[in-house]
Amino acid sequence: MSRELIFATNNLHKLEEIQSIIGDSFVLKSLQQIGFNEDIPETAPTLEGNALLKAQHIFNIYGKNCFADDTGLEIEALDGRPGVFSARYATDGHDFEANIDKVLYELTGKENRKARFRTVIALILDGSTYTFDGRVSGEIITERRGSAGFGYDPVFLPDGYSFTFAEMPLEEKNKISHRALAVNKLVGFLKSK
Ligand code: ITT
């Protein structure tokens, strides 16, 4: 039987990605689907802090099992930026194009283009809190390639691949992505419960 689990996000790309990894043992509900339409302030200075803050916020209101994630693109030559600011790097909104432009501009002339995506998931299950993380290393290329995925995918080339995340079908990205690795840990844990 499927169990319901709230995923504290409004990003339907992510919900779809994670649902496809989890399979049908859990049915994910987005914030919109449970009628929560406010923005949860992401004020913590770390990915871990923000993931916990979001999960706790929803748990405090609904008292239901839930999880939240936070992801950042950490670029070595930019001292780990955009990191926790990845969504709002160039503007206040989630402007993927402007964010990519800013990163490409800041990397102009830099030889070291190493970067990694890192995802942290915070789960609140039956009142206890757990965290899981996943990371994937790669490099930022000089111009966009591909139209799949979202965010920084068109400029992220994972190590060992000749395709950017935006040139890969979702199933391929799901095998190696930061979020997939963190979600696999989450799913392994949920299955053991
Ligand atoms: P919620 O807070 O509503 O969950 P979000 O868009 O802020 O949605 P994240 O915190 O997970 O999502 O990610 C922050 C940003 O990092 C996101 O807006 C993208 O720009 C980027 N990002 C996250 N995952 C990515 C991925 O798999 N590929 C490319 N960029 C990604």
Side-chain angles (χ1 to χ4, degrees):
M1 243 223 356
S2 296
R3 294 175 70 190
E4 185 180 303
L5 192 56
I6 298 171
F7 180 17
T9 186
N10 282 312
N11 181 330
L12 295 182
H13 292 284
K14 288 198 313 192
L15 189 110
E16 195 188 316
E17 276 192 14
I18 295 185
Q19 183 73 69
S20 82
I21 299 166
I22 287 189
D24 53 15
S25 47
F26 289 91
V27 174
L28 302 187
K29 298 273 184 212
S30 69
L31 291 179
Q32 207 182 8
Q33 284 171 315
I34 59 166
F36 183 88
N37 293 308
E38 293 154 42
D39 241 0
I40 306 171
E42 295 182 34
T43 48
T46 61
L47 298 173
E48 285 80 1
N50 276 336
L52 282 165
L53 206 135
K54 287 191 273 186
Q56 197 66 55
H57 190 89
I58 295 304
F59 183 74
N60 288 346
I61 297 173
Y62 295 93
K64 288 191 176 169
N65 293 332
C66 67
F67 70 94
D69 75 338
D70 201 20
T71 294
L73 174 67
E74 300 174 332
I75 301 177
E76 210 172 86
L78 303 181
D79 301 323
R81 290 193 319 276
V84 77
F85 306 110
S86 292
R88 296 172 187 82
Y89 196 41
T91 68
D92 269 355
H94 288 56
D95 188 337
F96 295 150
E97 297 309 320
N99 287 341
I100 290 180
D101 286 341
K102 182 167 179 181
V103 158
L104 291 181
Y105 176 75
E106 290 185 330
L107 285 176
T108 308
K110 297 219 192 290
E111 232 162 73
N112 178 5
R113 303 185 70 98
K114 283 188 202 154
R116 68 177 184 195
F117 276 115
R118 196 160 70 88
T119 293
V120 177
I121 292 176
L123 167 73
I124 302 181
L125 189 73
D126 304 327
S128 297
T129 301
Y130 310 86
T131 57
F132 309 91
D133 96 321
R135 47 188 81 187
V136 60
S137 298
E139 64 175 282
I140 303 299
I141 57 172
T142 52
E143 21 185 79
R144 295 164 168 82
R145 276 174 26 199
S147 54
F150 67 101
Y152 300 90
D153 281 348
V155 292
F156 185 80
L157 189 68
D159 284 346
Y161 288 78
S162 53
F163 298 113
T164 67
F165 267 175
E167 291 176 310
M168 288 182 185
L170 183 55
E171 309 81 68
E172 279 303 306
K173 182 182 171 188
N174 274 347
K175 284 183 196 150
I176 60 165
S177 82
H178 46 300
R179 191 156 28 256
L181 297 174
V183 169
N184 286 343
K185 290 183 189 169
L186 167 76
V187 172
F189 176 80
L190 288 172
K191 286 186 173 160
S192 74
K193 284 274 141 190

